[in-house]
Amino acid sequence: MTEHQLDTLLSEQRRFPPPEGFARRAKATTALLQDAARGHQEFWAEEARALDWMRPWDRVLEWTPPHAQWFVGGKLNASVNCLDRHLAGPLRNKAALIWEGEPGDRRVLTYWDLAREVRRAANALKQLGVRKGDRVAIYLPMVPEAVIAMLACARIGAVHSVIFGGFSAESVRDRVNDAQAKIIITADGGYRRGQVLPLKRLADEAMAHTPSVEHCIVVRRRPGGEGDESFAGMTEGRDHWWHRLLDAASAVCEPEEMDAEDLLFILYTSGTTGKPKGIVHTTGGYLTQVATTTKYVFDLGPEDVFWCTADIGWVTGHSYVVYGPLANGATVLIYEGAPDWPERDRFWSLVERYGVTVLYTAPTAIRAFMKWGTAHPARHDLSTLRLLGSVGEPINPEAWIWYHRHIGGERCPIVDTWWQTETGGIMITPLPGITTTKPGSATHVFPGIVAELVDNTGRVLQAGGGFLTLAQPWPGMLRTIYGDDQRYQDTYWSRFPGRYFAGDGAKLDEEGYWWILGRVDDVLNVAGHRIGTMEVESALVEHPAVAEAAVVGRAHDLKGQAMAAFVTLKDGYDASPSLKDDLKAHVSHKIGAIARPDDIFFSADLPKTRSGKIMRRLLKDIAEGRALGDTTTLADPGVVNRLKDLYEAQEA
Ligand code: 7RM
């Protein structure tokens, strides 16, 4: 965020009190806030009681900083809470999942159907030797089987590690190896803008270097589509068709009794080193937080059709496509493909067709819709919508107002929700029946959450700009980084001792509203996706032509941030437009299309401090066309000026 954008944001004067009709019926009331004020452990314990436990907990919280255990001694199963407990009553025959594929194919699974499929998939996993605690990698498009696979793991106590379908074979390989997964569940393809994503072929490439993998289960997404280049066939003994396994499996499967602190899943996310971190989430606390936030933030219940547009490969998909809404008995809409396929009104035609009541999407999508024009939503009846959500990056007031007006028909409250893969669930957010919102502000902490703004020295600030920290443990917090507890302690708890540091800068205004400013570390947020600059730099230097690379984010109208890579070449290689394309394709191949740099700039040198550290701040100034910052610590200040001249002379 630039200074100018920040000034515009903070001069935002508009206020949106909750609509009266909404406030009267909302699930979150001021009584809830009073309960929370009585003590955060009591608040969470009260909410946890709304789940089905096989054995009650002995203690709510065991806090040995920076390690927390919630609901110590309690036993439960996440799949029981998302499925079985709804089967005895009126939800049994209600839609749990409504799915639409990009080509237009459709499926509806009731809670009963979903529970049966989950139990059969759970038995299929067991039959392939999966036991409690084993890791299962899930590399699927947005199809019902993705949800079924996650819940099947939860049912038998296997730990899922979902890998976003847009990641490359190498990214899959690294994640599978880090988690030592026994099984990969993938598909013979997925659809994106009419193209087939060759998931099984990529999984095959990965499996050439993943010794821990014993079996691969393949969902048939494209009946009749086998045999083309996106599908390399099945390896006898290792690969199994999902539908065959499930056809043969019993639909009776007792749920595993899980300790509240047993692992539910690992999810890899980018950090400031080249290696993604396996964020570890456990069962009882995580489920409590996602069920509670879903209920109060989205005001969600069984009458709702909830559409969270995130892919299940991201934490938003875990918490608000799967666990949170299903725990609340809602109907969940899942759409496989792109928002502009075949036309730019696809989202609005889905909202209309299925009568979506609550929509949760990202600012980058909203800005694309703005650009495409109001005619697309205007063509559709969006009157079923009653609440809108935003997540993933700061939402600029202009996009907020557009969303409010053209999607929400000026009647739907907007919840701008701040949270992270690490927090498991929503942390800072309006409550739709209570909070008066200000466009661009995530407003206040959720009940039971203690966030504090601190300065550089860790001193707590009541207002102004600083760093966003969490001062008390919360139930959905990450427990560690898989296989690397030291990294967990160093990354999150060392910068401000005794506090969790989120990596975000923030401001608190005079009325106590939070304004999240974005990452202050070397993590980019491109179109709502977290990408570590180091990951992309490592990918670039693996190209034979590249001697050195530095990656920075620059402000971008649609994506929030775009990625600019400064590259120095090895002797014997010449800068050329085709080499630029080659480098971009190389990064896509290494990591996945989401990490493809927007701009590549060739440069004879990179600006470094005397100790040899690349000065990214200066590169960012250059990439954003600003006057240069302080260069006195530079080894060779001339480098920056040369770079700046170069940047302006070259076309990205
Ligand atoms: C849920 C998710 C986390 C990072 C986080 C922030 C940014 C997320 C907001 C936001 C401003 C928001 N998980 N972020 N939500 N910034 N306002 N409402 O996105 O792990 O992928 O990313 O995203 O920088 O640290 S994530």
Side-chain angles (χ1 to χ4, degrees), residues 285-315:
Y286 172 81
L287 205 62
T288 299
Q289 189 168 342
V290 300
T292 305
T293 50
T294 302
K295 178 169 62 181
Y296 295 128
V297 175
F298 300 113
D299 194 47
L300 212 69
E303 324 75 38
D304 282 298
V305 179
F306 184 55
W307 187 19
C308 164
T309 66
D311 192 282
I312 50 131
W314 311 116
V315 74

Side-chain angles (χ1 to χ4, degrees), residues 13-243:
Q13 289 301 324
R14 283 166 288 196
R15 302 277 187 283
F16 293 82
E20 212 184 283
F22 200 108
R24 229 180 303 117
R25 285 187 298 271
K27 294 189 166 56
T29 61
T30 46
L32 183 78
L33 301 182
Q34 285 152 12
D35 286 352
R38 265 183 240 128
H40 94 303
Q41 289 193 37
E42 292 70 23
F43 170 79
W44 287 114
E46 183 61 29
E47 292 299 328
R49 273 181 217 113
L51 297 176
D52 264 14
W53 293 80
M54 294 156 162
R55 183 187 183 280
W57 57 86
D58 304 313
R59 279 182 313 285
V60 176
L61 173 66
E62 193 81 32
W63 178 223
T64 322
H67 295 105
Q69 293 180 64
W70 282 85
F71 310 115
V72 182
K75 308 274 182 199
L76 77 171
N77 183 287
S79 81
V80 167
N81 278 283
C82 291
L83 301 169
D84 305 52
R85 67 174 171 145
H86 305 318
L87 299 182
L91 298 191
R92 168 190 154 121
N93 297 319
K94 195 199 74 147
L97 294 185
I98 299 177
W99 173 78
E100 192 168 298
E102 194 186 68
D105 34 354
R106 299 186 184 116
R107 277 169 69 190
V108 176
L109 283 90
T110 64
Y111 271 95
W112 179 260
D113 295 333
L114 184 60
R116 265 180 70 82
E117 292 295 288
V118 165
R119 292 190 301 251
R120 294 200 304 156
N123 281 328
L125 288 172
K126 273 191 188 167
Q127 193 207 317
L128 292 179
V130 179
R131 298 287 171 265
K132 179 176 172 179
D134 288 345
R135 275 79 56 215
V136 172
I138 299 177
Y139 182 52
L140 284 173
M142 283 295 278
V143 290
E145 286 80 2
V147 178
I148 296 166
M150 289 165 75
L151 291 169
C153 289
R155 188 148 198 99
I156 62 173
V159 178
H160 58 70
S161 165
V162 181
I163 303 169
F164 172 58
F167 277 124
S168 68
E170 286 188 28
S171 295
V172 173
R173 178 199 67 195
D174 293 346
R175 285 160 174 74
V176 166
N177 286 337
D178 188 78
Q180 290 291 291
K182 247 184 170 174
I183 304 265
I184 299 183
I185 305 179
T186 187
D188 59 356
Y191 291 95
R192 184 85 189 172
R193 290 209 173 81
Q195 303 279 313
V196 175
L197 218 61
L199 294 168
K200 173 61 163 62
R201 200 190 70 205
L202 295 170
D204 282 339
E205 276 177 42
M207 282 187 287
H209 310 280
T210 55
S212 63
V213 174
E214 294 168 12
H215 295 283
C216 176
I217 306 178
V218 187
V219 172
R220 196 165 61 172
R221 170 77 188 93
R222 308 166 55 229
E226 295 147 35
D228 64 20
E229 59 166 21
S230 67
F231 185 75
M234 304 287 276
T235 297
E236 185 74 34
R238 184 196 68 183
D239 298 350
H240 314 266
W241 286 108
W242 167 283
H243 60 279

Side-chain angles (χ1 to χ4, degrees), residues 607-608 610 618 628 631-642:
K608 290 191 187 151
R610 289 185 187 87
L618 289 175
L628 297 176
T631 56
T632 50
T633 53
L634 273 179
D636 176 6
V639 174
V640 180
N641 289 316
R642 284 201 292 281

